[in-house]
Every structure is written in C-alpha cells, then in structure tokens.
Amino acid sequence: MGTTTRKRYVLIGAGNRCEMYITSILGDHSNVAELVALTDTNPGRVEYYQDVVEQSFGERLGSFDPDELDSFIRENSIDRVIITTPDYTHAALICTAMYAGADVIVEKPLTIDAASTARIAQAVDDTGREVIVAFNYRYSPRNTALKKAIDDGLIGQVTSIDFSWMLDTVHGADYFRRWHRLKENSGGLLIHKSSHHFDLVNWWLDDSPQSVFAAGGLKFYGPKNAAARGLQTHERGTHELSDQEPFDLDLRSDERLEKLYLANEHLDGYRRDQGVFNGQISIEDNLSLTVQYDKGTILSYSLNAHSPWEGYRVAINGTEGRLELDVVERAAVLPASGGRPVDPSYNDDGQSSKVRSKGERLILQRHWQEAEEIPIINSEGSHGGGDKLLLQELFQGQQVDGYSRQAGFLDGVRAIAVGICGNTSLETGELVNVRFAGLGVNFSAVDKAQV
C-alpha cells in the first residue's frame, strides 16, 4: 500500500481566525497536509502563533515576508495558500498565489468590490487554479436540514424568502471596533458579514441573484448617534478610567486578545479595541434589501448589528407550504466586570425557563395540514459540528452526499454579488442589475452551461 502525498500549505494572516487552520493541519489532518510556513505583516502576531504551535505540537513553523509570497510558493513547491487576512487584501493575495502555481483557500468574503472580483476571475481563467471560499454556515446541520427539505420538494417550488439576521451588542459591536468599520477595508457588513447569509440562500435555492435594491445606514454606532443620545464614550476600550462603559472592550480582560493584539499594536499601530462611538465609521449597522433571483424567487433580507440577542429567522414560502427556521445563538447579553459580557438566559445543558433561550427549531407546514417539526441532528463541535465537517472536506476531500457544501470561486462571487450591488444601490438609490455590475462573470451563461 502506497503512502499518501501530503499537500504543502502556507497560511497568510495571523489574526483570530487562523488558529482553526493551524491546529487542524498539525493535528487531525497531518496525514494529508503539511503547514510549511505562517506569515503576517505583524511579526508579533506570527510569534504568538509560533509559541502556540511549539507548546501544542513541539515544533516551529517556517516564516517569510508576506511581500515575498510569490517567490516562497515557487521555491518551496507550495500546493495551497490559506488566506485569513483583512478582506481588502484578498484579491491581490489570491491572484499572486494562483499565478505562482498554488490553489487557494480564502476566508469569506472572496473580496470586497467589482473591480477586484473581475481581477480574480481573470486570474482563474489564466491559471486554471482552484479557489475555495470557507463558508462554514453551509456545514451547520440546521442549514443542511433546511436545504434537504427544499430539495425534497416538501414545500413545492420556492416563491419567496424572508431572512432576518440579528447581531447582538457583543458580536455586532465588534465590527465597529476593528478594521471592518471602514468600508474600504471590508466592503461593509453587506459583504463582510452578509455574504455568509447570501451564500446560504444561493445554496438553498441553487440559483443566482439577478437584481438588488437596498436601503440602510449607520443608525446606532458612530459619534453622531452617540451625541444625539447623550452617550459618554471612550476612544478605546482598554483604559484606566473608572467609568467603564458596556461597549468598552478591555483587551486586558482576555489573555488571548491581550497577547495577540495589545502586546503587538506598537508594531503596526492597529488597535483592536476602538470605541464604537468614536472616530471614523463608514459602514452601516442597519440594512435591508430585496433580491430577485434568476428562477423567480424573491428574497427580503435584513441585518441589525445592535440587537439585544443574536440569531436568525428564515421563512421560505413555496407553492405547497412554508418552512420556518428559528435560531437563537445567544439569548441575551448583560455587562459583567472587566468588560466581558455574559448570557444569563440559558444553562450549559441548553435548558431554561426564560422567555428566550438558546436553541434552534425547523418547522414545516404544508397547505391544508398541521405544522410539524423537522429534527435537526447535531454533532460535537462549533456550529453543531459544522466546522469539523468543513475542515474535513477542505483537507481530506469532499463528501459525496448530494449537498455540494464546498464553495468554489463562482459560489464566492455569487455571495458577494448581492453585497456589491447592494452597496451600489445604497449609493444611488436605484435597483442594480447583477449582470451589469462588472464582476467579470456571467452567471446566466454559467448556469445554462451547467444544465
């Protein structure tokens, strides 16, 4: 029996998200994958993960200057590059990696605007290399259960979808502390966050967005809103002042954040704990849009980034009935000492007598019938075991189960197409046709070719 050849990886971007990949490659998937090197523009964050690797696995990774990505790939026979850097850097890194001869795994979103999307599309055409976008929500059992119900025809042909996503005052606020707060860095929440949600809809429907109309604005965070409500604010959450506010994130209250960011901010000036009511913020915190799909389905979508609870609600209407998925990921947030919030609404076993508690429920009701609950079967790990399945497919190969969860380049473009066109609609106040957005991809032609 022959030995399996391990694929050689480099990882660029030593922020919060990269640890999942590091531990997966060095741990569960070391039989098929080898992590050759880790790089970042901040050498202190690279060193933080070198210490993590040394303590957990007894070794140190290679490293190099991120500006030398092209030559490092070529000289070290790298098969795949994993990109976990800020969104605005994705396109250049993806293209560099592909032209140097490597495939790419990139954290969502694929990129942030039409011009960089077209640039990636050209590189894909030129090189034939593979781009995988890590959409972990596809792997969550509850989202798979909903797709199965649609695919099985339980509600007939889908006519419309109502989709509401609530980000709470912990998770939602965090986008207004970090680099995401500038649209030039993240594309705004319609791209950085909502691309997850639009990808789910595209995947559930097996369809492409056709046109988008959006409305929204910065209604809660930012200095103008704070002044209007008479709020006391701080430039950053880490401070020695006695009047700590609920929105202050003191990096010293979390050992990992302190070591990864506070201890290294002198190297590049990046502040992980900016005040959500201070400084320049150019992204929206309340968003609503309508999307028309090629096959006729209409999506009504909303995002709120300052909700007192976190989760989402999806209602899918069809010619033979309706599916409803309700998810509470965090039922309430209360401030605690040290600036670290707590959720008091449920116990560790998920049981609670509170009005709202953590949980999920998928309900089917067909015309002329009573409602019934569809079981959701979770396994161990985050997102109901979904993250484990995502990593399994990334490194070991796709599971042939009919759900096609692994998202490729075109899936990545479809997901950000809604946000890109939504941003244009926000600017112009007009309906935007995806076909004329300058993405470098004609979905209609691609879909017809796949039929």
Side-chain angles (χ1 to χ4, degrees):
M1 218 173 149
T3 58
T4 302
T5 301
R6 295 195 299 170
K7 288 186 180 295
R8 292 168 59 80
Y9 289 78
V10 295
L11 196 158
I12 181 165
N16 198 52
R17 188 65 174 168
C18 78
E19 187 166 356
M20 175 181 77
Y21 295 102
I22 293 174
T23 56
S24 294
I25 294 175
L26 297 178
D28 291 345
H29 305 293
S30 60
N31 64 316
V32 295
E34 177 187 0
L35 186 55
V36 177
L38 169 68
T39 186
D40 190 277
T41 55
N42 187 305
R45 289 198 289 271
V46 172
E47 187 58 31
Y48 168 85
Y49 282 112
Q50 291 283 23
D51 290 342
V52 170
V53 169
E54 191 166 23
Q55 292 170 18
S56 300
F57 299 97
E59 60 181 280
R60 288 180 68 85
L61 303 171
S63 62
F64 60 96
D65 189 316
D67 290 337
E68 298 174 355
L69 177 62
D70 179 282
S71 59
F72 192 88
I73 291 171
R74 297 177 188 274
E75 293 169 7
N76 293 275
S77 302
I78 300 301
D79 298 299
R80 275 179 163 182
V81 175
I82 301 174
I83 299 171
T84 61
T85 57
D87 304 345
Y88 71 95
T89 68
H90 286 183
L93 295 171
I94 291 169
C95 292
T96 296
M98 288 194 293
Y99 283 119
D103 295 322
V104 172
I105 297 171
V106 60
E107 274 292 307
K108 62 84 192 165
L110 176 70
T111 186
I112 64 170
D113 55 31
S116 58
T117 304
R119 180 182 174 188
I120 298 171
Q122 185 62 58
V124 169
D125 286 343
D126 290 344
T127 66
R129 307 305 308 188
E130 182 180 42
V131 177
I132 296 173
V133 186
F135 284 122
N136 61 336
Y137 284 171
R138 288 188 177 205
Y139 294 84
S140 177
R142 59 191 178 226
N143 297 325
T144 301
L146 180 55
K147 179 169 177 58
K148 183 179 187 304
I150 296 170
D151 290 351
D152 287 348
L154 298 186
I155 58 170
Q157 181 180 346
V158 176
T159 59
S160 64
I161 300 178
D162 294 313
F163 194 164
S164 298
W165 201 285
M166 284 65 66
L167 293 168
D168 66 23
T169 46
V170 174
H171 190 185
D174 216 30
Y175 294 112
F176 297 83
R177 297 186 182 103
R178 299 180 284 166
W179 52 265
H180 311 73
R181 64 189 350 224
L182 298 180
K183 189 169 282 192
E184 64 194 57
N185 291 340
S186 65
L189 292 181
L190 274 183
I191 292 178
H192 176 80
K193 183 61 182 176
S194 299
S195 62
H196 255 323
H197 315 152
F198 302 142
D199 175 68
L200 279 178
V201 176
N202 301 342
W203 178 61
W204 285 330
L205 296 177
D206 190 22
D207 201 0
S208 297
Q210 182 185 91
S211 61
V212 181
F213 180 80
L218 185 64
K219 309 289 187 180
F220 183 82
Y221 300 107
K224 289 184 179 180
N225 293 313
R229 299 200 299 274
L231 299 179
Q232 182 175 350
T233 66
H234 297 126
E235 180 185 359
R236 63 182 306 180
T238 307
H239 57 74
E240 302 299 336
L241 303 175
S242 60
D243 54 339
Q244 189 120 38
E245 298 297 320
F247 283 96
D248 288 346
L249 172 64
D250 191 330
L251 296 175
R252 296 167 301 184
S253 68
D254 187 306
E255 183 180 2
R256 186 171 185 273
L257 292 179
E258 182 176 18
K259 289 181 177 180
L260 190 56
Y261 294 105
L262 186 61
N264 295 310
E265 68 179 33
H266 68 284
L267 297 173
D268 58 8
Y270 174 57
R271 289 186 172 186
R272 172 67 177 77
D273 61 341
Q274 297 174 83
V276 299
F277 299 110
N278 292 78
Q280 184 182 0
I281 298 175
S282 56
I283 65 173
E284 300 82 13
D285 54 26
N286 281 257
L287 290 156
S288 178
L289 52 76
T290 301
V291 183
Q292 178 75 49
Y293 275 81
D294 281 344
K295 296 177 185 176
T297 302
I298 299 170
L299 166 67
S300 297
Y301 171 84
S302 66
L303 174 73
N304 179 279
H306 55 88
S307 172
W309 67 280
E310 177 141 337
Y312 59 102
R313 290 173 169 167
V314 186
I316 302 185
N317 301 299
T319 55
E320 298 178 21
R322 176 179 170 99
L323 286 159
E324 298 172 350
L325 175 62
D326 286 338
V327 178
V328 177
E329 295 183 335
R330 186 159 46 220
V333 175
L334 298 180
S337 60
R340 302 190 66 183
V342 295
D343 180 348
S345 59
Y346 64 96
N347 300 322
D348 290 340
D349 60 3
Q351 303 299 315
S352 174
S353 60
K354 301 288 186 179
V355 172
R356 179 178 286 118
S357 58
K358 182 178 180 179
E360 55 191 20
R361 195 177 192 193
L362 177 59
I363 296 175
L364 164 69
Q365 186 162 11
R366 292 173 55 81
H367 292 157
W368 324 117
Q369 297 182 20
E370 294 185 2
E372 60 180 284
E373 186 168 354
I374 296 176
I376 298 171
I377 303 174
N378 290 303
S379 57
E380 293 184 3
S382 54
H383 295 100
D387 284 354
K388 183 176 181 180
L389 183 56
L390 164 71
L391 294 164
Q392 177 76 18
E393 286 203 346
L394 283 178
F395 299 117
Q396 302 286 349
Q398 295 188 61
Q399 291 191 359
V400 182
D401 58 6
Y403 295 119
S404 301
R405 294 185 187 89
Q406 192 167 102
F409 166 68
L410 290 175
D411 299 308
V413 178
R414 284 187 177 94
I416 60 173
V418 180
I420 290 170
C421 292
N423 280 335
T424 301
S425 182
L426 288 172
E427 294 172 3
T428 64
E430 299 178 353
L431 180 76
V432 178
N433 192 311
V434 175
R435 183 181 302 178
F436 305 120
L439 301 172
V441 175
N442 184 341
F443 295 136
S444 296
V446 171
D447 292 338
K448 288 177 181 178
Q450 293 175 345
V451 173

